[in-house]
Structures are given as C-alpha cells and as structure tokens.
Amino acid sequence: MKFKNIFKNNTRMTTENTLNDEIVDPTPIENNEIDSDALDATIEERVEEISKEEQLTQDLASEKDKFLRLFAEFENYKRRTARERIELFKTANQEVLLAMLPVLDDFDRALAEIKKTDDNILIQGVELIQEKLKSTLVSKGLEEVEIKAGDAFDADFAEAITQIPAPSAKMKGKIVDVIEKGYKLGDKIIRFPKVVIGN
C-alpha cells in the first residue's frame, strides 16, 4: 500500500512538475522570441541606416566628380577661346596687310629710281612717306623677313624663283639676289621672299 502511495505521489509530482514546466517554460521562450525579434528589427534598422549613409556618400562622391569634370571642361573652354581670340587678333589684319604689301614694293622701286636723280628734297619726301607707312604696318604686327644675298637658301623661309650659275664657288646653293621682300605677321609668314639662288 505504501509502495503504491509512493508511486502515486511520484507520478503526481512528475505530472505536476511536467505541467509546471510546461506553464513556466513557454514564458521565457516567448520573452526570448520578443527579444530576438526586437533585436532583429534593430539590426535591420541599423543596416538600413548604414546603407542609406553609404548611398548618400556615394551620391555625394558622384556629384563631386560631375562638378570637377564640368569645372575642368569649362576651364579648357576658357583657355581654348582665349587662345582662339588671340590668334584672331593676330591674323585679323592679314588680308588688309597683304593688300598693302604691293604699295610697299612700289615705294621701294620708286625710291630706288628717285635716288638716281639729284633731287634731295624729293628723296626725303618719299622716304618720310615710306617710313610712315612702314611704321604704321609694323604697329599692326607686320615684320620683314630678314634675308639677304649670301645667306644659305632655306625653303622654309624663302621661295626660289630661279637658279643662275653661281658667280663664285662660295655662292653655290646660296641666295644671289632678293627679287621681292618677304613679310610675316607674328610668327606666320604671309608672303615668302622671292629669291634667286646660285647653282
């Protein structure tokens, strides 16, 4: 009898313990689930914040890059237009100056002929007019190409119109005579000097 009672008590205790365990255990599990859900939500929010921050950082870097590229393009444009403007100013008068070169040539020929006479007043008058015209054209950028008889012939700076037998061995391949003067505007030759070279 006693043995049966003990067994009954043990069974009851085991059953009660099991029931108590079942009642007590679900609460911590639920609390653990709530905590892990909250923790997961917090982690997700932080990941979202980090990804938003990274996205904003990338957007800022992209906009900075666009700005720098645009600024560089604008600087290049400014330099290019300034260079083109300078070139335009240098060569703007080219056509007018080219049209004036035959007048200069005529003055040179006229002065050479007038110097054959003894009329000093006429020579001085023509020289003054010629110098005034030359100084005006020089102020607009015109320069004479420096070349004279005895210089070595260079096709980059002169145009050979004919060859003649060289008067001496030293004059072979050199300029014997300058037929027409050459002129340049800045660094650009606008009319090559016409020369005769010795052969």
Side-chain angles (χ1 to χ4, degrees):
M1 197 77 173
K2 280 184 179 180
F3 182 69
K4 284 184 181 179
N5 286 338
I6 291 171
F7 183 73
K8 278 184 184 177
N9 285 340
N10 279 344
T11 307
R12 195 180 311 145
M13 281 176 55
T14 306
T15 310
E16 284 174 7
N17 284 345
T18 305
L19 288 173
N20 285 342
D21 285 346
E22 284 175 6
I23 293 169
V24 170
D25 282 342
T27 307
I29 289 170
E30 284 174 12
N31 285 341
N32 285 343
E33 284 175 4
I34 290 169
D35 287 345
S36 69
D37 287 344
L39 185 62
D40 287 345
T42 306
I43 290 170
E44 282 177 21
E45 284 176 16
R46 285 189 183 164
V47 168
E48 282 179 24
E49 285 176 14
I50 291 169
S51 64
K52 282 180 185 177
E53 188 176 317
E54 286 174 359
Q55 183 64 36
L56 289 173
T57 305
Q58 287 175 358
D59 290 348
L60 180 62
S62 173
E63 291 302 317
K64 265 187 180 178
D65 185 53
K66 283 180 188 175
F67 170 75
L68 289 174
R69 287 176 189 274
L70 185 63
F71 182 75
E73 281 180 31
F74 181 67
E75 285 298 312
N76 290 337
Y77 169 76
K78 275 183 11 183
R79 284 191 204 113
R80 188 173 59 248
T81 53
R83 192 168 47 243
E84 286 172 359
R85 201 175 311 130
I86 289 167
E87 288 297 317
L88 183 63
F89 287 146
K90 281 183 182 176
T91 58
N93 296 330
Q94 183 173 336
E95 288 182 29
V96 175
L97 293 175
L98 276 170
M100 295 300 293
L101 293 182
V103 178
L104 270 179
D105 294 337
D106 290 342
F107 264 108
D108 289 338
R109 288 188 208 103
L111 197 58
E113 290 300 317
I114 292 171
K115 282 183 179 177
K116 292 177 184 176
T117 68
D118 293 332
D119 195 345
N120 288 334
I121 296 172
L122 181 61
I123 292 170
Q124 286 177 356
V126 173
E127 281 179 344
L128 283 172
I129 297 168
Q130 183 189 32
E131 285 304 314
K132 191 171 186 180
L133 177 62
K134 274 187 181 178
S135 64
T136 303
L137 296 177
V138 166
S139 71
K140 300 300 178 189
L142 187 71
E143 294 177 51
E144 189 176 325
V145 176
E146 295 294 329
I147 199 164
K148 60 187 183 304
D151 288 348
F153 174 71
D154 186 352
D156 291 334
F157 296 102
E159 180 183 340
I161 56 171
T162 188
Q163 293 183 356
I164 61 169
S168 66
K170 287 165 77 174
M171 292 299 285
K172 280 193 172 185
K174 294 192 176 178
I175 297 169
V176 176
D177 192 17
V178 179
I179 304 298
E180 188 177 73
K181 291 180 182 177
Y183 293 95
K184 60 184 179 176
L185 184 59
D187 294 331
K188 182 182 177 185
I189 295 177
I190 59 173
R191 187 176 83 178
F192 286 90
K194 291 181 174 56
V195 298
V196 177
I197 58 173
N199 190 3

